[in-house]
């Protein structure tokens, strides 16, 4: 099976802009989670989608949003970018039967 | 609320020496515990998980971890370090296995030739 894919791998944006990141889970997995990784805060949970419904949400402002499509692919959007949004954004595909999450390579977002 | 504490942000060992990475957790319910490894410019790879089946868990690449409820610990060990083990290691907890992971701050492992 192919692993979790994330596009794009690298992004450079300017403050105030918005950005959309994409994640394709492992075939057959219907649960997708998003995490933000920064040197200062470490790995923090953003949100999780299962069967197109948001199931859990982390403690992030409303500028961070996501959605999931019927084919389980997920997107996350960040509006009005701030310098502090610079981070590695990781997507994880969950096999709920064996309680394991598999991570993609991440999207490195730099906000200037 | 759950939390994870990884003691030591950086651990350095000689090639062939024992690797010991420490993880203590806090959870109000029986936890599910995980160790992940991250190589530079890559995502996280699952090394092993504890789901209450056995207290000693064996994972990939020769790593294992022991769940000790009395110490609320889940330390990661490997008998003999290889240069390829140099990476960042994260301990994580969830309360049911299908809820969001709460990660520790990570421990960077360096292996010296």
């Amino acid at each position: 099976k192919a692993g979790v894919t994330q596009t794009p791998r690298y992004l450079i944006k300017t403050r105030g802009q918005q950005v959309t990141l994409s994640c394709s889970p492992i075939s057959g997995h219907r649960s997708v989670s998003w995490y933000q990784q920064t040197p200062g805060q470490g790995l923090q949970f953003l949100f999780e989608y299962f069967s197109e419904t948001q199931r859990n949400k982390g403690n992030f402002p409303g500028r961070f949003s996501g959605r999931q499509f019927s084919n389980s692919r997920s997107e996350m959007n960040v509006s009005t970018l701030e310098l502090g949004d610079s981070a590695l954004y990781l997507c994880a595909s969950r096999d709920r039967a064996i309680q394991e999450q598999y991570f993609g390579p991440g999207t490195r977002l730099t906000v200037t | 609320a759950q939390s994870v504490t990884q003691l030591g942000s950086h651990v350095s060992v000689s090639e062939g020496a024992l690797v010991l990475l420490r993880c203590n957790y806090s959870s109000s319910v029986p936890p599910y515990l995980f160790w992940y490894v991250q190589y530079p410019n890559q995502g996280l790879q699952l090394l092993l998980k504890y789901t209450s089946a056995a207290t000693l868990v064996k994972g990939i690449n020769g790593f294992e971890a022991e769940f000790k409820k009395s110490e609320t610990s889940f330390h990661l060990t490997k008998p003999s370090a290889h240069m390829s083990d140099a990476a960042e290691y994260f301990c994580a907890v969830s309360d049911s296995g299908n809820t969001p992971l709460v990660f520790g701050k990570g421990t960077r492992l360096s292996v010296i030739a």
Side-chain angles (χ1 to χ4, degrees), chain B residues 37-102:
Chain B
V37 61
Q38 186 177 34
Y39 298 99
N41 298 315
Q42 294 188 28
L44 278 68
Q45 180 182 12
L46 180 64
L47 280 176
L48 50 79
K49 69 178 184 184
Y50 166 77
T51 58
S52 78
T55 57
L56 184 62
V57 181
K58 294 188 183 298
I60 62 171
N61 301 340
F63 285 94
E64 63 181 37
E66 185 173 9
F67 173 72
K68 290 187 177 180
K69 184 178 179 180
S70 61
E71 298 177 7
T72 61
S73 69
F74 190 57
H75 302 332
L76 182 71
T77 61
K78 182 174 181 177
S80 176
H82 296 167
M83 297 297 290
S84 60
D85 295 326
E88 185 132 25
Y89 292 79
F90 293 92
C91 182
V93 63
S94 74
D95 63 13
S96 74
N98 282 322
T99 51
L101 293 170
V102 175

Side-chain angles (χ1 to χ4, degrees), chain A residues 45-104:
Chain A
F45 171 73
L46 280 156
F47 28 67
E48 178 183 9
Y49 287 86
F50 176 71
S51 294
E52 302 178 65
T53 302
Q54 188 179 90
R55 295 303 178 102
N56 290 291
K57 188 177 190 302
N59 189 26
F60 278 81
R63 299 186 297 107
F64 291 82
S65 63
R67 59 178 177 169
Q68 187 179 33
F69 302 95
S70 58
N71 62 358
S72 295
R73 190 177 69 85
S74 177
E75 289 181 346
M76 68 163 282
N77 183 275
V78 188
S79 62
T80 320
L81 283 165
E82 300 177 359
L83 294 178
D85 297 333
S86 295
L88 181 67
Y89 290 89
L90 292 163
C91 168
S93 169
R94 188 195 295 275
D95 185 333
R96 297 176 75 88
I98 58 174
Q99 296 97 34
E100 290 184 4
Q101 291 194 57
Y102 305 94
F103 285 79

